[in-house]
Amino acid sequence: MGRKKQREPVEEVESEPEDEEDEDEEEEEEEMELLQVDVGDMIKVKQILDETIAATVLEQIDEDYQFDNFKLLLMTIACIFAMIAQFAPLPFPDSRIIIGLCCATYFALSGILQLITTLIDQDCILLTKPLPKEGKKNDDGGFNEDTGKKIFRKDPKNIKSKEIFQYGIRVRSQFPRFSEWYTVILEFEKLPNTPRVEQRWSVGQFFDKEGMFDEIGLQLEVEKLYRRLEDADYEKEKSAADKKKD
């Protein structure tokens, strides 16, 4: 009779326990801090809305700083003249002429800045560059760092608007006093009779009774408005009869 084969002892290998802490960290999602605002403070409400509008548009296209840099230069020169008038090491009254010239220059430059704000800027909150033919570079990784929302950009080949590649975008916002309606207008900078897209929302759509701000909700609405600009779905001009009624 053949001998029975003896089974070799099998060493039991204990599996290493998974690091529960690492799994918990991977499963945990970053919670976005909701911004709470006093809805009775219309200036603060408009500021929050404007900042969100500008940030959302800048996800799609780059900002143009040239005009802002020009205003900063004027402001810096005005401050330099003010400092000369204040700290010039000349005894009074010998320094009267210098002080007078510096003060006059300061007030002149300040007046120019005020005129720019009143007549040129008006309700503008953002100026952008024309969109490059290859589209905006994806430097941000395709995600909004504040909200964690994925950023979608249209392929430049599928953009119907030709003006967006030639002219920068002028972003305007309107929020009249004692009104619940907030309006955003996108149009082309330095284009005569520029076409535009416009949308009006109730502030209550993005703020609840406690003043909690729905940032992602507003971003999605602005993206829809920007897509209309890309698709050349511009606002229709009013007819002559409508203009007479206005």
Side-chain angles (χ1 to χ4, degrees):
M1 296 177 65
R3 296 180 180 179
K4 294 182 179 180
K5 295 183 179 179
Q6 297 180 353
R7 294 182 179 180
E8 297 180 356
V10 179
E11 297 181 358
E12 295 181 359
V13 180
E14 295 182 357
S15 59
E16 297 182 357
E18 297 181 356
D19 193 345
E20 296 180 356
E21 294 182 357
D22 293 342
E23 289 183 356
D24 292 339
E25 290 179 0
E26 292 178 358
E27 292 177 358
E28 288 181 356
E29 297 181 355
E30 296 182 357
E31 295 183 358
M32 183 184 65
E33 294 184 1
L34 295 177
L35 182 62
Q36 188 172 16
V37 183
D38 179 9
V39 291
D41 187 353
M42 298 186 65
I43 296 177
K44 185 63 177 179
V45 170
K46 186 177 187 302
Q47 178 186 352
I48 297 299
L49 293 172
D50 287 350
E51 289 177 353
T52 305
I53 297 295
T56 306
V57 173
L58 290 178
E59 291 177 353
Q60 307 293 331
I61 195 168
D62 293 321
E63 185 174 0
D64 188 358
Y65 297 100
Q66 290 185 354
F67 194 56
D68 287 336
N69 291 338
F70 172 72
K71 291 186 289 185
L72 287 174
L73 178 62
L74 287 181
M75 194 180 305
T76 302
I77 296 174
C79 291
I80 290 174
F81 277 99
M83 292 176 63
I84 293 174
Q86 179 67 28
F87 301 107
L90 294 175
F92 191 82
D94 296 339
S95 59
R96 286 182 301 179
I97 297 177
I98 294 178
I99 293 175
L101 290 174
C102 290
C103 291
T105 304
Y106 172 80
F107 285 112
L109 293 176
S110 299
I112 292 173
L113 286 171
Q114 187 62 42
L115 289 174
I116 290 174
T117 302
T118 305
L119 302 178
I120 299 178
D121 286 345
Q122 296 182 355
D123 54 4
C124 176
I125 61 174
L126 177 68
L127 291 175
T128 75
K129 299 177 181 178
L131 184 67
K133 294 182 179 180
E134 65 278 5
K136 181 177 178 179
K137 296 181 180 179
N138 197 15
D139 297 332
D140 49 20
F143 285 90
N144 185 304
E145 295 181 357
D146 296 328
T147 61
K149 183 176 68 66
K150 187 175 181 181
I151 298 173
F152 171 77
R153 296 191 182 99
K154 201 175 223 183
D155 189 335
K157 297 179 181 178
N158 298 328
I159 296 177
K160 298 179 181 179
S161 174
K162 298 180 181 179
E163 293 86 356
I164 201 171
F165 298 102
Q166 302 173 1
Y167 301 94
I169 298 174
R170 184 181 184 90
V171 183
R172 299 165 50 198
S173 70
Q174 299 172 354
F175 189 34
R177 293 184 63 186
F178 312 115
S179 173
E180 66 167 308
W181 299 103
Y182 178 76
T183 305
V184 175
I185 301 170
L186 305 183
E187 59 188 18
F188 297 106
E189 177 69 4
K190 297 180 180 179
L191 176 62
N193 299 322
T194 172
R196 67 178 187 175
V197 293
E198 178 180 342
Q199 185 63 48
R200 186 176 69 164
W201 302 281
S202 171
V203 174
Q205 184 174 343
F206 309 112
F207 291 94
D208 61 13
K209 294 180 180 180
E210 297 178 354
M212 305 303 291
F213 177 46
D214 182 13
E215 183 176 359
I216 294 181
L218 179 57
Q219 288 179 338
L220 294 175
E221 291 296 326
V222 176
E223 285 182 3
K224 293 179 183 178
L225 184 63
Y226 183 82
R227 298 290 171 239
R228 286 180 53 197
L229 190 72
E230 288 184 331
D231 294 336
D233 183 16
Y234 304 131
E235 298 291 331
K236 296 181 180 179
E237 295 184 0
K238 291 184 178 180
S239 62
D242 294 335
K243 290 181 179 179
K244 290 181 179 179
K245 290 180 182 179
D246 296 340

